Structure formats: C-alpha cells, structure tokens
Amino acid sequence: MASGGKGKAAKKKSASDRKQAVLKIVLSDTCAVCKTPCGRGMRYLDRMRKPGATGKGVPCVLTRTFV
C-alpha cells in the first residue's frame, strides 16, 4: 500500500484572521514634496496641475499599515 503524505497539513487562516493593508489617501501637494515619488503619484500630480482639475487624492504606498 502506498501511503499519502505523512505530515500534517497547515491550516489556512480564515479571511477575518488575515491582516489587511490600509493606504492613506494623499493629495497632490503631498505628492509634490515626496522624497520617493511613485508613478501613480506623479501621474496624479500632472493631472492636478492642469487648470480646472479636481481630484480626491490617490492611495500612497508609502503610508501602508496593516490592520
């Protein structure tokens, strides 16, 4: 007889037990003075420099926290 795996299978964490990343929303003035600019922030900054542009901000990967 061939035996299956002898080791115990690791239990998966339920969705409520996993940590979820949270990103803060930043505006174009924050992106303008950022020391490590990202592509998403620079595109948003370029859009906001145009006359009449309105925006609600972009998620900043540098402000990531886990909850």
Side-chain angles (χ1 to χ4, degrees):
M1 289 186 134
S3 62
K6 290 186 179 181
K8 282 189 170 182
K11 292 184 180 179
K12 284 191 172 184
K13 290 184 178 181
S14 66
S16 62
D17 292 339
R18 293 187 193 124
K19 294 191 176 203
Q20 184 175 6
V22 176
L23 304 177
K24 290 184 181 177
I25 303 295
V26 296
L27 300 176
S28 59
D29 57 343
T30 306
C31 291
V33 296
C34 184
K35 293 179 183 178
T36 53
C38 62
R40 178 190 287 173
M42 292 299 101
R43 284 191 304 272
Y44 177 68
L45 183 59
D46 288 338
R47 280 196 320 252
M48 292 301 107
R49 286 185 176 158
K50 295 178 183 171
T54 57
K56 297 182 180 180
V58 289
C60 179
V61 296
L62 300 175
T63 61
R64 180 177 59 194
T65 58
F66 291 98
V67 178

